[in-house]
Amino acid sequence: MGEAGVRAQHQDQADTVGGEEQGMRTQVAIIGAGPAGMFLAHLLHQQGIAAVVIERRDRAYVEGRVRAGVLEQVTVDLMRKLGLADRLEREGLVHGGTNLSLDGALFRIDMAALTGGSTVTVYGQQEVMRDLFDAAETRDLSILWNVDDVQLHDLDGDRPSVSWTERGVARRLDCEIVVGCDGFHGVCRASIPADVLQTFERVYPFGWLGILADVPPVDHELIYANHANGFALASMRSPTRSRYYIQCALDDDVGAWSDDRFWDELCVRLGPTLGERVTRGASFEKTIAPLRSFVAEPMRWGRLFLAGDAAHIVPPTGAKGMNLAVSDVTMLGEALAEFFIERSAAGIDGYSARALARVWKAERFSWWFTSITHRFPDMDGFSRRLQMAELDYIRTSPTAQKTLAENYVGLPLEAA
Ligand code: FAS
Ligand code: PHB
């Protein structure tokens, strides 16, 4: 259903005075149509809870962003539960292991063996968003695209609302709950009073230069490489499409990285054996992303709830970003079902603490995994040898490998 359909669907909920639309009503207003917002919209739809997604861009923009590549079991399970996993089952690449490399010396972590069979699935965020949006159209989920100037109102009461403009026309949505799924640069986190909100942050002194190229991956699994020149990651999107990253300076200019320069540096960092196996080709996407660890607490204020990047950011090393958004909305979806169906506030009252318990464990793992695989500008000989000792410990200790494996595949939603 296109935008007109959405508008028509809400017309019957609109209050009109003198024919001028004054606003709409729903139960849950979701700000942002990224993974957090769209998974939540599908979860609420499955529970029969009315929701409207309000997105400032259009579908093509959101679906076109090249971001996450690895799904934890939590995410795969949710896609199956929501009936969104048909293409994932056909096209997703199930990985039972991952690989670390230190100056070219490769070793494998058998995650499935170390975790009783847990795996990860390689399936790009773009594909996840396509599945979410296609199903949203089929299921008549309400999404308002291209909105401007979103503002939240009366969050500390029991009748919050959201206002925005669409092609210059002022609009308003009355609701009972607002969920901020508007990412790190959104407006929802900033709606929590400064004397309530606490933030915690680490900004890393480097970025990731990533490319996409239609060439076969160098290996059938991922490779995280620690090299004296810096970090590199060999990933993929399919057996014919590779996703590679190399650590770069924060002020690096992507225009200064020709494909040849990128391939040469990647092959150095992967080491001579793997480097010789790399298939080169023209990149069709090349970007630099900064790395940060960030958490905002609490993830709830009054009738406003935060989920995903609106509340937390992890360096992509641990492949946790999108998966954390999914675990947030899985918990929040349960809490909102209790609130609207069982009329119990226990779930929403416990949401922030429950979500943060898993968020901080993912923050710790992502920070640790970044710290042992990247070259820090201020590293001295001592810290470099500590890194090498830690990697050698992981290489030789099944206990150390089990710790890495259980965090990489994703910890359970609840701490045991
Ligand atoms: P998102 O940022 O995805 O979505 C927020 C949505 O809200 C957007 O559609 C935005 O347009 C909308 N919005 C913002 N402000 C608004 C407003 N005022 N009004 C209305 N709408 C508004 N994760 C991994 O696991 N692996 C990776 O390799 C990886 N790489 C990444 C690379 C980059 C460059 C970035 C930025 C992130 C990367 N991530 C990665 C993390 C990423 O996948 C996020 O964790 C994931 O997109 C989080 O989803 P959301 O919380 O939905 O936020
Ligand atoms: C990716 O394929 O984009 C990817 C995979 C694993 C990571 C980060 C990014 O840790």
Side-chain angles (χ1 to χ4, degrees):
M1 172 171 61
E3 204 170 299
V6 172
R7 172 70 50 224
Q9 189 188 33
H10 282 281
Q11 202 59 45
D12 61 356
Q13 295 172 355
D15 303 327
T16 52
V17 174
E20 175 59 35
E21 180 177 67
Q22 298 304 308
M24 301 179 286
R25 290 185 305 281
T26 193
Q27 290 176 294
V28 181
I30 299 172
I31 316 300
M38 289 309 301
F39 272 113
L40 180 61
H42 278 282
L43 273 167
L44 297 178
H45 177 263
Q46 194 174 63
Q47 296 277 357
I49 297 169
V52 175
V53 181
I54 299 169
E55 166 59 48
R56 73 175 172 185
R57 305 297 294 264
D58 61 17
R59 169 172 172 169
Y61 169 83
V62 181
E63 196 172 320
R65 300 178 307 169
V66 181
R67 288 187 163 178
V70 171
L71 308 188
E72 290 179 353
Q73 195 60 47
V74 167
T75 305
V76 172
D77 291 347
L78 184 59
M79 290 184 78
R80 287 177 179 150
K81 175 185 172 184
L82 294 171
L84 300 171
D86 289 351
R87 201 158 64 94
L88 170 67
E89 305 286 9
R90 291 195 307 273
E91 299 175 15
L93 304 175
V94 178
H95 284 195
T98 196
N99 300 275
L100 298 181
S101 151
L102 175 57
D103 290 334
L106 190 70
F107 61 94
R108 183 172 186 268
I109 309 285
D110 187 343
M111 298 187 296
L114 291 159
T115 61
S118 296
T119 58
V120 294
T121 302
V122 172
Y123 190 73
Q125 182 167 327
Q126 291 179 283
E127 308 313 319
V128 174
M129 296 316 300
R130 178 179 152 194
D131 296 334
L132 286 162
F133 289 143
D134 284 350
E137 291 206 6
T138 309
R139 299 171 184 176
D140 282 351
L141 270 59
S142 303
I143 307 175
L144 303 179
W145 302 101
N146 300 307
V147 307
D148 294 311
D149 190 26
V150 167
Q151 295 181 34
L152 313 183
H153 310 282
D154 304 317
L155 296 171
D156 53 352
D158 58 5
R159 294 184 57 79
S161 63
V162 180
S163 66
W164 68 94
T165 58
E166 264 179 82
R167 294 184 291 279
V169 177
R171 303 221 184 262
R172 193 190 78 248
L173 177 68
D174 293 325
C175 55
E176 296 181 64
I177 297 283
V178 180
V179 185
C181 298
D182 51 345
F184 184 67
H185 301 289
V187 297
C188 292
R189 184 175 68 246
S191 302
I192 298 180
D195 61 347
V196 172
L197 191 71
Q198 279 190 285
T199 60
F200 308 87
E201 187 169 45
R202 285 280 185 284
V203 177
Y204 295 87
F206 40 71
W208 277 19
L209 167 59
I211 71 161
L212 274 175
D214 280 332
V215 293
V218 68
D219 194 284
H220 69 288
E221 292 178 331
L222 272 60
I223 298 167
Y224 291 82
N226 177 321
H227 185 273
N229 287 12
F231 169 80
L233 170 59
S235 183
M236 68 213 54
R237 290 293 177 268
S238 75
T240 60
R241 177 167 290 182
S242 294
R243 177 65 163 166
Y244 288 114
Y245 299 92
I246 59 173
Q247 171 187 344
C248 64
L250 264 181
D251 59 359
D252 221 328
D253 171 12
V254 68
W257 285 90
S258 68
D259 283 355
D260 285 345
R261 184 186 174 200
F262 181 92
W263 292 118
D264 289 345
E265 185 57 28
L266 175 75
C267 292
V268 167
R269 296 189 188 184
L270 291 177
T273 308
L274 278 167
E276 283 169 12
R277 286 178 14 206
V278 169
T279 304
R280 300 181 178 216
S283 68
F284 61 88
E285 201 268 356
K286 190 184 288 175
T287 49
I288 293 179
L291 273 65
R292 143 194 350 259
S293 297
F294 175 87
V295 179
E297 294 183 5
M299 289 174 59
R300 179 261 179 107
W301 184 71
R303 289 300 179 95
L304 171 65
F305 296 79
L306 301 179
D309 279 16
H312 43 72
I313 297 285
V314 284
T317 323
K320 294 289 163 235
M322 183 173 69
N323 294 297
L324 270 184
V326 169
S327 57
D328 287 350
V329 296
T330 299
M331 295 178 189
L332 185 55
E334 292 168 4
L336 292 175
E338 276 183 41
F339 179 71
F340 284 108
I341 299 168
E342 300 168 26
R343 304 313 294 176
S344 160
I348 59 172
D349 291 345
Y351 164 72
S352 181
R354 184 183 176 205
L356 284 168
R358 192 171 194 272
V359 164
W360 274 111
K361 292 187 181 76
E363 290 282 346
R364 181 210 65 82
F365 173 69
S366 303
W367 164 82
W368 169 78
F369 201 26
T370 302
S371 70
I372 67 168
T373 50
H374 288 66
R375 189 91 166 127
F376 288 71
D378 62 352
M379 277 182 94
D380 59 11
F382 181 79
S383 46
R384 176 67 178 155
R385 281 162 180 73
L386 283 183
Q387 252 190 6
M388 297 168 77
E390 180 122 29
L391 285 163
D392 200 37
Y393 170 55
I394 295 168
R395 183 177 64 82
T396 55
S397 161
T399 306
Q401 291 184 18
K402 182 179 172 68
T403 299
L404 191 157
E406 70 173 7
N407 280 279
Y408 190 87
V409 299
L411 296 176
L413 272 188
E414 304 305 333

